[in-house]
C-alpha cells in the first residue's frame, strides 16, 4: 500500500513519532509531507515491504533506527536542502549500499560528504524542470521591452538586446 502523510496537521507542522509504523510490512511506499520536521526513532523499523520513501523538505532530523531492516528499500528521495541530521544507524540492516538516494541538485555535494547519507550506493540529483511560458506576451512600451507570462513559476530568458530593438520601427516584434 502507498501511504502519503498530510502536508500539515491542522495547519501546523508535526513530527512522526517513535515506532509510529514499526513492523508494518504492508506499506510499499511512503511520502512524508513537507510540514513534517522530524522522523522519530524506529518510525519505520522493520517495514520490510517498503521500497520507496520520499522525505519532505522540512525534515531536519531522523531518529535512531528509523529505517532499520527495510531490506527492500531501493529509492530514498530526500527533498531537504539542509541535510537532515541522523545517526549512522538510521538505515542499519537496510542494504544502504544498494539504495539510490535522490536529492536536490543544488545540495548534492552536501549529501555526498555527510554520514550516513554518503553511504548510499548511488546518489543522484533531482532536477526540477521549471515550467515554460505557454504564451509569452512581448511588447515595446514607453521605451521598454516588456515580457509577460501568465504561467505561474515560469522563467524565461532572452538574448534580445537594445540594438535588436532599434532594428525595428514598430511596437511589435515578431519571433
Amino acid at each position: 500500500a502507498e501511504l502519503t502523510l498530510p502536508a500539515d496537521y491542522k495547519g501546523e507542522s508535526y513530527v512522526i513519532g517513535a515506532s509510529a509504523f514499526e513492523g508494518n510490512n504492508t506499506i510499499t511506499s511512503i511520502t512524508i509531507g513537507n510540514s513534517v520536521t522530524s522522523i522519530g526513532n524506529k518510525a519505520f523499523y522493520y517495514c520490510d515491504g517498503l521500497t520507496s520513501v520520499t522525505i519532505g523538505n522540512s525534515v531536519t532530523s531522523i531518529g535512531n533506527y528509523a529505517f532499520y531492516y527495510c531490506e527492500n528499500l531501493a529509492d530514498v528521495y530526500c527533498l531537504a536542502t539542509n541535510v537532515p541530521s541522523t545517526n549512522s544507524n538510521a538505515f542499519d540492516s537496510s542494504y544502504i549500499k544498494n539504495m539510490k538516494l535522490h536529492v536536490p541538485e543544488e545540495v548534492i555535494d552536501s549529501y555526498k560528504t555527510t554520514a550516513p547519507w554518503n553511504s548510499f550506493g548511488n546518489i543522484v540529483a533531482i532536477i526540477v524542470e521549471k515550467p515554460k511560458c505557454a504564451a509569452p506576451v512581448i511588447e515595446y512600451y514607453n521605451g521598454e521591452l516588456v515580457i509577460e507570462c501568465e504561467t505561474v513559476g515560469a522563467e524565461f530568458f532572452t538574448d534580445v538586446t537594445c540594438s535588436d530593438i532599434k532594428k525595428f520601427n514598430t511596437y511589435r516584434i515578431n519571433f
Side-chain angles (χ1 to χ4, degrees):
E2 293 182 14
L3 177 64
T4 300
L5 299 179
D8 59 53
Y9 179 72
K10 296 182 179 181
E12 300 291 326
S13 60
Y14 63 102
V15 301
I16 299 173
S19 302
F21 298 94
E22 181 178 343
N24 186 330
N25 60 6
T26 62
I27 301 172
T28 56
S29 74
I30 186 160
T31 300
I32 298 169
N34 285 333
S35 289
V36 172
T37 57
S38 179
I39 300 171
N41 294 337
K42 298 184 177 180
F44 300 97
Y45 189 88
Y46 269 95
C47 290
D48 60 354
L50 199 56
T51 60
S52 176
V53 173
T54 300
I55 299 170
N57 61 18
S58 295
V59 171
T60 58
S61 65
I62 298 175
N64 291 320
Y65 303 106
F67 295 96
Y68 179 87
Y69 203 76
C70 295
E71 65 181 0
N72 293 306
L73 189 55
D75 289 287
V76 175
Y77 296 81
C78 191
L79 308 179
T81 53
N82 292 316
V83 181
S85 63
T86 188
N87 288 324
S88 61
N89 62 17
F91 295 93
D92 272 7
S93 297
S94 294
Y95 309 111
I96 195 170
K97 293 279 185 208
N98 297 333
M99 290 185 212
K100 185 183 286 188
L101 176 63
H102 307 258
V103 298
E105 181 178 30
E106 65 271 19
V107 292
I108 192 168
D109 290 337
S110 296
Y111 281 88
K112 286 182 175 182
T113 58
T114 305
W117 304 101
N118 58 359
S119 297
F120 277 78
N122 193 4
I123 303 174
V124 298
I126 299 171
I127 299 172
V128 179
E129 198 166 309
K130 303 278 186 198
K132 296 190 178 0
C133 187
V137 176
I138 303 170
E139 297 179 317
Y140 185 72
Y141 180 73
N142 285 340
E144 292 183 3
L145 182 64
V146 179
I147 303 172
E148 296 177 340
C149 178
E150 291 183 13
T151 306
V152 176
E155 292 183 19
F156 44 88
F157 302 92
T158 179
D159 291 330
V160 177
T161 64
C162 289
S163 61
D164 293 327
I165 294 170
K166 291 177 185 174
K167 291 180 190 174
F168 299 93
N169 230 0
T170 65
Y171 290 100
R172 296 225 176 258
I173 301 171
N174 297 319
F175 290 94

